[in-house]
Every structure is written in structure tokens, then in C-alpha cells.
Amino acid sequence: MLSLQLLAVVMLLAIFIVASVWNINMGLLMFLGAAVIAFLGNVPADVIGASFPSDTFILIAGITYFFVVVESSGTMDYIVASLLRLVRGTIAVIPFLFFGLAAATTAIGAYPPAVAALVVPVAMRLAKDYGINRFLMAIMVIHGILAGNFGPLATPGVFTAKVLADAGLEPITLQLFLSHLIVNALVAAVAYMAFGGMKLIRTKAVVEAKRELVTVGGGSSSGSAGIGGTDDALAGSASEGRVRPNNYQIATMASLLALVVLALGVGWDLGYTALALGLLLTLVFERKNNSFVAKMPWGVILMLAGVLVYFGVLTEIGAVDAISDLLAGMGSDLAAVLALSFLSGIISAFASSITTIGASLQLAMPLIGSGLNTLSVVGPVTISSTIVDASPIGIIGALSLASVEQEARPKLMRSMLMWAGAMIVLGPPLAWFALAVL
């Protein structure tokens, strides 16, 4: 490996460390790093510009804008309230209910931290009221989010599909989604059995109808529902009958259906379609709300753009090929996939999982073929990069901690740290064995 290529790899590792320790956006560091490497390697400035992922930017910006509008409408609150009325039977059903809710919401494109911000507080309140292990409930919600992370409209899923398509490979959207769904469902089932699920089944306790469990929305000046307050459309207890969605929520659910049909069925561009539907809802119901753009996860978009620009420069100077040659020199492609999976899991435990995916996919591309299909390589790497997200130092894990009372946090934090450590050790080899070896 040439000195410039080695410097680029060392700088990449330094960026991960600096971004993790000092909480600086990794995308900004990677933009600067790309400029430094390009200057030292006499790489023309237009190469950096050409590496900027404009298509990916529109794709993710459109989807995230749409789901910021969806969140404002209170549609997800309405769905939570409706589902909670279905668990008048045994309490044992509740953890699975929230696993499925988190998975479905994430799979249709909602930003994972937004899903956690909506679902985790309700889940933790139920856990407290009905004696459910808080750690169990946190694990069920978090792995539900991870199960839906690679759905056809979810940000990591569409990003991965775009990277594969740009590389001339089949996007394998459905296979990747099912792989993540099955792995995380199995992990959640093991957690359920190990951390109090059997006790819940044996107690056969019955959920009582409570007003606060079906009143989970919050109103805005326009009458829409959001997180953290009270909304008339969701007010009332389960004994008062079925709660009806308001016009905004009905239109939002119709827009969700239209997005799926137009983007996945008809083949319209996903980013522009989502943006158009989001703007249409805004014009009809939220003309005076100017906060939607500010609520978009620009930090995540910036990180993804920085990763792709940095790896564009690394490709130009031959560093990506050099790393791929090192992986190939391990003796077998299977061993290289396992090594990359472990590396992805370790880095993701301390950095953004989607950023780790963006970097790992660039290194994984040359391993596809010569006996290994796309799922055998991409599956273990992406699962290893996400399965560690139950860590309390991550956004979703931190939201889980913040949703319990002060005295319960130390115990929950210890449990989540141990769980994340177990996922770092066990996740990569299990995913590798299931998807690459079998």
C-alpha cells in the first residue's frame, strides 16, 4: 500500500475516533479529509464534486421530509392508540406488539430515532404500569426498529439499494429486508424468553383500559398531532369506543399508500415522489408550519454525503482497491467477509451505524462474486453494523434510558451495555454463518 493510500486509511480511522469522542459530525470531517487527500494526491477538484451523491441526497431528503410531515400529523400516534386497544388480553402480548409496531413504522420510511422518540416512551410507561422488565421492553422496541431498518422505504434500505445499483449489482431489497427482519425477530424472541417473557405468559394478567394509554398525541396550532401533548382526535379511553382519525391523518395514511404504490409499484422516483406528497400535505394542512425542514435529520444526510465523497477520493487514489486486495489476501472471501463484519460491528458501536454501512459497503463491493453472492456479503456486513444499536451511547438506546425514571436508569444502562457487548461478539459470526456459510 502506497504512503498516500495508507495516510487515507489512517485518516479514516482518525475521523471515526474524533467524531465519536467529540461528537463532531462525521460528514464534515470526511469532506475536509477528502480535500486534504485530494490536495496531497494531486486529485482534481472536480473529482471531489463528482463524488457528491446528488441522487442519494434527493432520495433521503425526500423521504425524511415526508416522514417529518407524517409525524406532525399524529398518524403514528393514532396507530399506536389503535393497537393498544387490541391488547385487552394478556400483558404478555405487549412486547411483541411494540416490536411489530417499531418494525412496521421503520420499514415504511420513518426515521429510526423519530420512531424511538414516539414508541419508546409509551412502551416504557406500559412496562412500569404492568410490571414488564424495562430492559426487555427496550430490547423489543430497539430490535423492532432494526428489523425494519432495511425495508423498501427505510433510509438504510434505500441507501444500500442505491449503492448496489450504482455498482451494477442487483439491489436485493426484499432479501436484505427479510434477513434483517428474521435475525432481529429471533434476537427479540431470545430476549423475550430470557428477560421475563415466560413470567408474563404465566401470570396471564389483563390490561385495564387507561385514558393515558390511548392519548399519546400532541396538538399543533393547526390541530395536527405530534409527540408529547394531547390531541382531541386521540382523546378518550378504550371504553368510549373506537377513536376516529381526523382528516389530516386520513390524508396522511392515503399518502403512505400512494407512496408505496407509485414508488414501488409504478416505478416513480422514490425521493421526488415522497417530497411531492410531503409538500402536498403541507400545502393542504400545514401551510403555517415552517419547522418541517428544520426537523429533518440533516446531520445524517451530511454524514452519508461525506462518506461517499471521501470514498470517491479513496477510489481515485487506489486506496479502496488496496484495502480490497488486503482482504482478498486473507486466504478466502468468507474469511474476508467475517473480518469486515467484525470491523463494522466494532466501529458502529461507537459511531453512526448508517455511516458505518456507507463505509463498509464500499469495501465489500469487490468481495461480491467469485463464489459469494450479494446477500452473502452485504447481509453480514449490514447486520453487524446495526445489531449493536442497543448500546446506551447511541441515539435509540439513549432515548430508552431517558424514558425511564431516574432510579431505574443505572440498572437499565448496565444491561444495555452488556447486551451491546454481546451483540458485538456474537452478531457478526452468527450473521456470517447464516448468510454466507449456509
Side-chain angles (χ1 to χ4, degrees), residues 1 3-18 37 310 314 319 323:
M1 183 177 290
S3 58
L4 182 62
Q5 297 171 347
L6 183 59
L7 175 62
V9 174
V10 171
M11 186 178 291
L12 177 63
L13 295 176
I15 287 172
F16 275 111
I17 294 171
V18 170
I37 296 299
Y310 192 85
L314 260 62
I323 296 172

Side-chain angles (χ1 to χ4, degrees), residues 86-97:
L86 298 178
V87 293
R88 297 180 184 179
T90 62
I91 292 176
V93 176
I94 293 178
F96 289 108
L97 173 68

Side-chain angles (χ1 to χ4, degrees), residues 19-345:
S20 301
V21 173
W22 285 291
N23 196 30
I24 300 175
N25 187 284
M26 199 174 299
L28 292 174
L29 294 172
M30 287 194 171
F31 276 123
L32 180 59
V36 171
I37 296 299
F39 175 77
L40 295 176
N42 293 317
V43 176
D46 57 355
V47 172
I48 302 178
S51 300
F52 184 83
S54 55
D55 291 345
T56 303
F57 175 85
I58 292 296
L59 180 67
I60 297 177
I63 292 174
T64 53
Y65 180 84
F66 177 76
F67 277 96
V68 167
V69 179
V70 171
E71 180 183 342
S72 174
S73 72
T75 299
M76 304 317 302
D77 296 345
Y78 170 76
I79 293 173
V80 170
S82 300
L83 290 175
L84 286 176
R85 286 192 296 274
L86 298 178
V87 293
R88 297 180 184 179
T90 62
I91 292 176
V93 176
I94 293 178
F96 289 108
L97 173 68
F98 279 91
F99 174 89
L101 175 64
T105 306
T106 307
I108 61 174
Y111 184 47
V115 177
L118 170 65
V119 175
V120 169
V122 180
M124 289 303 184
R125 187 166 73 243
L126 280 165
K128 177 183 178 181
D129 289 345
Y130 299 112
I132 302 173
N133 186 318
R134 316 292 178 79
F135 174 63
L136 169 61
M137 189 66 90
I139 289 301
M140 296 297 283
V141 174
I142 290 171
H143 282 279
I145 292 173
L146 300 181
N149 239 350
F150 282 79
L153 299 179
T155 299
V158 297
F159 172 70
T160 300
K162 183 70 168 56
V163 171
L164 292 174
D166 289 345
L169 299 169
E170 182 186 356
I172 61 165
T173 301
L174 180 59
Q175 299 98 308
L176 200 57
F177 172 46
L178 290 177
S179 298
H180 281 258
L181 178 62
I182 292 171
V183 167
N184 283 283
L186 290 174
V187 170
V190 170
Y192 183 86
M193 302 302 289
F195 300 107
M198 292 303 298
K199 179 181 177 181
L200 295 177
I201 293 174
R202 287 195 297 268
T203 60
K204 296 183 180 179
V206 175
V207 176
E208 297 177 0
K210 289 192 175 186
R211 180 182 179 89
E212 66 268 21
L213 297 184
V214 296
T215 308
V216 295
S220 70
S221 59
S222 62
S224 63
I227 298 173
T230 305
D231 184 78
D232 292 339
L234 298 177
S237 68
S239 61
E240 293 174 351
R242 183 174 180 271
V243 180
R244 295 180 179 178
N246 58 34
N247 291 336
Y248 192 3
Q249 293 162 348
I250 293 173
T252 301
M253 287 185 277
S255 297
L256 281 168
L257 179 60
L259 180 62
V260 173
V261 172
L262 293 174
L264 302 182
V266 180
W268 287 18
D269 183 270
L270 179 56
Y272 284 110
T273 303
L275 183 60
L277 290 171
L279 287 173
L280 179 61
L281 290 171
T282 302
L283 290 171
V284 175
F285 296 100
E286 295 279 14
R287 288 186 295 274
K288 296 181 180 180
N289 190 338
N290 60 359
S291 64
F292 289 156
V293 173
K295 291 179 180 178
M296 291 172 63
W298 290 111
V300 173
I301 297 172
L302 185 61
M303 280 194 296
L304 289 176
V307 167
L308 295 179
V309 168
Y310 192 85
F311 272 87
V313 174
L314 260 62
T315 301
E316 183 70 18
I317 65 172
V320 172
D321 290 337
I323 296 172
S324 300
D325 290 341
L326 288 176
L327 290 173
M330 297 184 64
S332 74
D333 289 343
L334 281 175
V337 172
L338 179 59
L340 185 57
S341 297
F342 267 116
L343 181 62
S344 300

Side-chain angles (χ1 to χ4, degrees), residues 20 23 346-352 388-399 401 413 416-417 420 424:
S20 301
N23 196 30
I346 293 170
I347 293 175
S348 184
F350 302 97
S352 164
V388 300
D389 280 356
S391 169
I393 64 176
I395 296 176
I396 299 175
L399 284 169
L401 281 177
M413 183 170 183
M416 293 179 72
L417 281 172
I424 292 174

